[in-house]
Amino acid sequence: MTNENKMTTYDFKDGKGLVPAHQHSNGGGWVADTATVDDTAHIGPDAKVYGNARVYDKARVYGNGKAQVSGNAILSGNAIVSGNALVSANAQVYDKALVSGYAHVFGDAKVYGSAQVYDKALVSGYAKVSSNQHVSFSIVKTDLSLPENMKESIEAQCNLTIFNDYVYCYKRVNDNLSSEYDNSFIYPVSGLVEAEEVEDNKNVSCGKGLHFSHLSYYARNAKSDSKILYAKVHVDDIITCLQGKIRVRKAEILGVV
């Protein structure tokens, strides 16, 4: 028997021991023979695809970690799974979605659109993370796009405290308390503040309104000549929660951090 016809095996550490498998031609990652992976997909050298998982189109599984797609999971479109992330069971990740870090998407969950699931977030059950939702905290078990799940969306995307229907949050402003995007808009040291105009479209993240998030959100691009405001927002005044921040109509500034 020639080497070309010799069956190769690999242990995916899922309790099944050595199973027939091969290294994908585009990236070199291991793929079980039971899985379906398009030639156009990229399976990086540290990535693994096994079980009855399916990777279609130009989807990519890669990273310096050991990203995995397993079970009956489906990865398609231009979706990416990277780092030490895991997509398993009957989960689906598609469109331009990204799953990275140590995130785990499983059950019958769906991550799609331009959504991102990262860090140590868990998305399970019949959860849906879509549009521009960025989930990096908490455990998600519902459809975050539904209005009745706004509180869960805020917790999952922003890790913000919600107490008596108020969200306690943060805002970075210039040193003189003016908005970073409109120098003529000055925030008070304390007291009520309301947007002059708002975009009511819930699918728009960076539209008109006031934007707030968690402290680490602003630490990503820290500025030496800025201040951080602490505020509270009633849930009824929140227009949307996307890309790890909330966009609101009005807020009460509680002080400078």
Side-chain angles (χ1 to χ4, degrees):
M1 181 181 292
T2 65
N3 287 334
E4 291 181 356
N5 295 324
K6 187 177 180 179
M7 181 174 64
T8 55
T9 59
Y10 187 84
D11 188 350
F12 290 93
K13 307 299 182 183
D14 60 347
K16 296 182 179 180
L18 293 169
V19 298
H22 59 279
Q23 289 183 280
H24 194 257
S25 59
N26 188 7
W30 281 96
V31 177
D33 288 355
T34 52
T36 301
V37 180
D38 281 354
D39 291 340
T40 51
H42 180 88
I43 311 299
D46 294 313
K48 300 176 181 66
V49 181
Y50 54 100
N52 295 311
R54 288 165 283 175
V55 182
Y56 297 133
D57 307 319
K58 294 183 179 180
R60 290 169 283 174
V61 188
Y62 69 101
N64 294 324
K66 296 181 179 179
Q68 300 180 54
V69 180
S70 65
N72 293 305
I74 298 175
L75 181 68
S76 62
N78 291 294
I80 299 173
V81 177
S82 66
N84 291 282
L86 172 62
V87 178
S88 63
N90 296 304
Q92 297 183 41
V93 179
Y94 53 99
D95 292 336
K96 295 181 179 180
L98 168 66
V99 181
S100 62
Y102 287 86
H104 187 179
V105 180
F106 58 105
D108 292 282
K110 295 181 180 181
V111 181
Y112 56 100
S114 296
Q116 296 183 18
V117 180
Y118 53 100
D119 287 344
K120 296 182 180 180
L122 300 178
V123 180
S124 65
Y126 289 92
K128 292 181 180 179
V129 181
S130 59
S131 186
N132 281 301
Q133 294 164 346
H134 290 186
V135 172
S136 58
F137 306 96
S138 187
I139 299 174
V140 179
K141 296 183 178 180
T142 61
D143 183 347
L144 296 188
S145 67
L146 298 178
E148 60 265 32
N149 296 326
M150 175 63 79
K151 289 184 179 180
E152 184 176 358
S153 181
I154 293 170
E155 290 172 352
Q157 293 193 68
C158 305
N159 197 30
L160 293 174
T161 302
I162 302 174
F163 182 71
N164 286 342
D165 287 333
Y166 279 93
V167 179
Y168 290 80
C169 49
Y170 299 87
K171 171 74 178 183
R172 188 176 66 198
V173 294
N174 294 319
D175 192 57
N176 66 348
L177 302 189
S178 64
S179 167
E180 293 183 314
Y181 304 97
D182 180 359
N183 291 334
S184 66
F185 190 93
I186 308 295
Y187 283 83
V189 174
S190 63
L192 292 174
V193 60
E194 188 169 355
E196 296 174 352
E197 295 182 70
V198 295
E199 167 60 70
D200 286 319
N201 189 336
K202 297 182 183 297
N203 295 317
V204 176
S205 173
C206 296
K208 293 180 179 179
L210 309 178
H211 300 255
F212 295 87
S213 192
H214 51 95
L215 268 177
S216 57
Y217 178 90
Y218 297 107
R220 296 170 187 168
N221 298 296
K223 297 181 178 181
S224 58
D225 58 343
S226 63
K227 286 185 171 66
I228 298 292
L229 300 177
Y230 187 50
K232 70 175 184 179
V233 179
H234 195 277
V235 291
D236 290 343
D237 292 317
I238 298 173
I239 302 166
T240 192
C241 181
L242 293 172
Q243 294 184 328
K245 61 184 178 181
I246 56 174
R247 184 164 58 83
V248 311
R249 294 180 176 84
K250 58 184 178 180
E252 181 180 352
I253 305 301
L254 302 176
V256 178
V257 175

